[in-house]
Amino acid sequence: MNGGRHDVVVVGAGIVGAACAYEFARRGLRVAIVDREMVGGGATAAGMGHIVVMDDSEAQFALTRYSQTLWQDLRSELPTDVEYDRCGTIWVAADDEEMAEVRSKHEYYGKRGVPTEVLDSPSLQRLEPNLRPMAGGLLVSEDAVLYAPCAARFLIERAQEHGADLILGSPVTQMGQGKAELADGSRFTAKFVVNAAGACSPQLTPGLEVRKRKGHLVITDRYPGFIRHQLVELGYLKSASALHKDSVAFNVQPRRTGQVLIGSSRQYGAEHEEVDHEILSRMLTRAEEYMPGLAQVSSIRAWTGFRAATPDKLPLIGPWPGDESLFLATGHEGLGITTSLATGVLLADQIAGRKSQIAIDPYLPSRMAEVVAHGK
């Protein structure tokens, strides 16, 4: 069965694929979005949903900050069920050494126009009374959280309003060279095809240096006011950067429902979706070290998901060498929700031959691609 001719076929209806489809469609391109499951599934459904500025590298900062401003621009259009909440992030410092890092981050962000506030111990205690006494923290007031599956649905619906086609229920078996073939026999042809399949992207584009990184999350019953900001330990960055070992870190979020979302963990080489109770126990113990009251709350569900990680912790956004029709939008690790809108804009700019607001070079797949001649 012929699925028709399009300008762009986007494979993957998670938040990144949805953002790409939205941006292409609103620029007047005829778009098809293809996914084997549903809109907003996969890592999108499994993630925490933060819209956060990160500073592990200049390239990471540029992408996260740019995308955060795009979310802010879109905020007034988001429906209620997206649960967009600019609650802010507090990076929590356990001791004087970490307070030095707080001041360093404050200076870094300040030079780049991101408003932050250094909190001493009493100020932090007033803002988050359920934290154990800490040295202080850094409030990043423009960070936000949202419910990503509904955000993905909203972006897909907007793309459809601009004429995009949505095809669900059959996996893509082959893509590239201007086409995407599905297991049910459908074939879609286009000038461009976009691999936005997250942790599954290497199955569709052999040679991608993208690995699965498993994570766990827990959601509690409703405890309105228990926390007011996203709270993250400063050691989180070290945890997120650990490439070869399992790690946990304190990272909790308030939800509009009054629930508390508890993370986070990272595992390589764990291919099964089942909850790892040892990792889960370590994660919850870490959270309770920072917020002892969490030991008394009722948890109603725990689940896992797989992040798509690259060796240099930056996503792959742009053309795949050796196939001028194939573009990548994958490898976002734990920042796919944050950086989805910027990814869509950067890809659409490249396809249109337009200069983007931020430099694209750090994210181009050519930086790590295994170029295979003649489509081998």
Side-chain angles (χ1 to χ4, degrees):
M1 181 172 61
N2 192 328
R5 177 76 186 180
H6 296 81
D7 297 312
V8 185
V9 175
V10 179
V11 178
I15 192 72
V16 172
C20 291
Y22 163 73
E23 189 63 31
F24 292 140
R26 77 187 192 102
R27 294 194 190 194
L29 299 175
R30 188 176 179 208
V31 179
I33 310 111
V34 181
D35 197 289
R36 64 181 179 180
E37 295 178 346
M38 61 183 181
V39 171
T44 300
M48 292 192 83
H50 49 210
I51 309 296
V52 59
V53 176
M54 299 289 279
D55 61 344
D56 195 47
S57 66
E58 285 289 348
Q60 187 187 76
F61 172 84
L63 188 65
T64 55
R65 180 55 172 169
Y66 179 40
S67 204
Q68 185 180 74
T69 63
L70 294 174
W71 279 111
Q72 290 170 351
D73 292 343
L74 196 60
R75 178 182 182 182
S76 63
E77 302 176 39
L78 298 174
T80 303
D81 64 3
V82 173
E83 299 180 18
Y84 184 99
D85 181 9
R86 205 170 89 170
C87 58
T89 297
I90 297 178
W91 292 89
V92 179
D95 51 34
D96 291 342
E97 182 180 357
E98 290 188 351
M99 278 303 295
E101 189 172 346
V102 159
R103 289 185 283 272
S104 177
K105 287 172 77 71
H106 174 65
E107 181 180 2
Y108 181 94
Y109 285 166
K111 288 179 178 178
R112 291 158 179 81
V114 179
T116 61
E117 179 184 353
V118 176
L119 304 172
D120 60 15
S121 183
S123 299
L124 177 59
Q125 203 67 38
R126 283 194 297 271
L127 289 177
E128 292 291 349
N130 285 309
L131 273 172
R132 69 173 170 84
M134 308 291 290
L138 183 73
L139 172 61
V140 186
S141 58
E142 293 188 358
D143 285 355
V145 300
L146 53 70
Y147 186 56
C150 288
R153 187 215 65 224
F154 165 77
L155 293 170
I156 292 287
E157 288 177 351
R158 281 297 177 88
Q160 289 177 297
E161 290 172 8
H162 288 281
D165 297 319
L166 176 63
I167 301 94
L168 301 175
S170 182
V172 174
T173 56
Q174 187 174 350
M175 66 180 298
Q177 305 303 325
K179 64 181 183 295
E181 298 179 1
L182 278 58
D184 65 5
S186 301
R187 174 182 287 196
F188 294 82
T189 57
K191 185 174 181 181
F192 303 105
V193 290
V194 176
N195 185 343
C200 296
S201 55
Q203 299 171 24
L204 299 175
T205 306
L208 281 189
E209 291 189 72
V210 172
R211 296 175 60 193
K212 288 183 177 180
R213 205 169 190 190
K214 185 177 178 179
H216 289 68
L217 289 174
V218 172
I219 191 81
T220 74
D221 207 340
R222 297 169 188 256
Y223 299 92
F226 186 85
I227 64 169
R228 303 161 186 172
H229 306 79
Q230 174 161 281
L231 303 176
V232 190
E233 66 167 290
L234 277 162
Y236 174 84
L237 289 177
K238 294 178 182 177
S239 167
S241 300
L243 296 177
H244 303 294
K245 61 180 181 180
D246 297 347
S247 62
V248 299
F250 171 64
N251 184 356
V252 298
Q253 279 182 4
R255 306 305 304 186
R256 282 277 178 89
T257 57
Q259 295 169 286
V260 180
L261 188 58
I262 305 172
S264 66
S265 71
R266 282 172 163 79
Q267 292 174 276
Y268 273 133
E271 296 290 332
H272 57 87
E273 297 180 358
E274 290 79 10
V275 169
D276 183 324
H277 291 283
E278 179 185 359
I279 288 289
L280 187 66
S281 176
R282 285 174 54 191
M283 188 181 81
L284 292 175
T285 297
R286 186 65 172 173
E288 291 164 13
E289 288 173 1
Y290 280 79
M291 299 192 83
L294 286 173
Q296 308 305 317
V297 307
S298 297
S299 299
I300 60 175
R301 188 165 73 94
W303 67 93
T304 68
F306 293 97
R307 309 172 182 95
T310 63
D312 64 1
K313 296 171 286 182
L314 292 174
L316 302 168
I317 306 172
W320 179 242
D323 183 350
E324 62 183 15
S325 75
L326 177 58
F327 281 68
L328 304 181
T330 186
H332 295 76
E333 226 268 62
L335 292 170
I337 296 164
T338 291
T339 59
S340 55
L341 293 185
T343 296
V345 172
L346 293 178
L347 270 192
D349 285 346
Q350 289 180 76
I351 284 175
R354 180 185 303 173
K355 184 176 181 181
S356 295
Q357 288 194 30
I358 65 172
I360 185 64
D361 290 358
Y363 323 109
L364 291 175
S366 56
R367 75 185 189 273
M368 61 176 59
E370 298 175 10
V371 181
V372 181
H374 309 299
K376 180 180 176 182

